[in-house]
Amino acid sequence: MMHAFPVVTRFLNRSLTLALLLPLLLWMSMANAATTTLLVMGDSLSAAYGIERQAGWVNLLSQRLGDEVKVVNASISGETTSGGVTRLPELLGQHAPDIVLIELGGNDGLRGLSPKQMRRNLSTMIEASQEADAEVLLVGIEIPPNYGQAYTQAFKTVYRDLAEQYEVPLVPFLLDGIALKDDLMQDDGIHPTAEAQPRMLENVWPELKALLPKQVAATAE
């Protein structure tokens, strides 16, 4: 009988270990399952050009959402829709996002590139994101009127038409309430200051929160 005690002891220790570990493993599994991943595909407006990165609106969004949402900011200053098309597939595979926020096109416009090509590129990005089971939020930008009425209108229409075609939410103009205020724009007249970033976040928030889990959106209000 004495020889059985070590076996019983090992069995009890193992059972206690499992009893302690199982709730922890279950909690970790639930926590991982509840985490939402947001991928931001933007240009300098989302990459905090000219200011401290932590002051940028994407970082402010990450702070607002806390641990409930993993925010991956893949924005690059100078990025065009063509660059976004090239980079997106790898990012989708790497991060498996639940939401893809597309804020591109401004550099296409400033370079006078074809709105038709911009439309094709954004369409490709939207379709790729949806095929990866991600929700899409399209964030638009407007270009200065000195590019001509026909071009600026064609450029602006791209975002609206794509939002309708793919039934995705649209933020019409990221710099709404900012672009015409000198005190909220850097000296180049293109990029917003650090003081403008909270307003940019508020421009995006109404459409973004509708894509988030209700509990997360409510907590972040």
Side-chain angles (χ1 to χ4, degrees), residues 40-220:
V40 179
M41 295 290 297
D43 50 32
S44 56
L45 297 179
S46 297
Y49 176 89
I51 62 175
E52 295 293 332
R53 191 169 181 85
Q54 60 265 27
W57 77 265
V58 177
N59 189 62
L60 296 179
L61 172 64
S62 181
Q63 292 176 14
R64 172 180 287 193
L65 295 174
D67 295 334
E68 295 296 327
V69 179
K70 177 183 178 183
V71 178
V72 179
N73 191 359
S75 304
I76 298 177
S77 294
E79 184 72 294
T80 62
T81 58
S82 295
V85 166
T86 300
R87 292 195 300 127
L88 182 59
E90 182 177 352
L91 290 166
L92 290 174
Q94 180 180 355
H95 299 288
D98 301 282
I99 303 169
V100 177
L101 186 155
I102 303 175
E103 179 274 301
L104 288 172
N107 288 307
D108 295 57
L110 293 176
R111 298 176 187 183
L113 302 179
S114 167
K116 291 183 179 179
Q117 182 61 51
M118 179 178 123
R119 182 193 298 266
R120 285 193 291 268
N121 291 336
L122 290 174
S123 294
T124 299
M125 295 183 71
I126 293 171
E127 291 176 3
S129 299
Q130 292 179 333
E131 289 172 4
D133 294 324
E135 299 278 1
V136 174
L137 173 57
L138 189 60
V139 178
I141 191 69
E142 297 179 7
I143 55 175
N146 58 294
Y147 282 78
Q149 183 177 359
Y151 184 82
T152 55
Q153 185 59 39
F155 181 90
K156 183 178 180 179
T157 301
V158 167
Y159 296 104
R160 185 190 64 208
D161 289 350
L162 289 176
E164 293 178 357
Q165 177 182 349
Y166 292 100
E167 298 182 339
V168 300
L170 170 68
V171 177
F173 185 27
L174 178 60
L175 300 183
D176 185 36
I178 298 169
L180 299 180
K181 296 183 178 180
D182 292 340
D183 59 328
L184 295 179
M185 298 296 291
Q186 297 181 40
D187 292 340
D188 61 11
I190 297 174
H191 298 97
T193 63
E195 290 73 21
Q197 303 300 312
R199 175 61 186 266
M200 294 168 70
L201 173 55
E202 294 309 317
N203 286 343
V204 172
W205 180 247
E207 299 296 340
L208 176 60
K209 73 176 182 180
L211 301 179
L212 296 168
K214 291 184 179 179
Q215 184 177 354
V216 173
T219 303

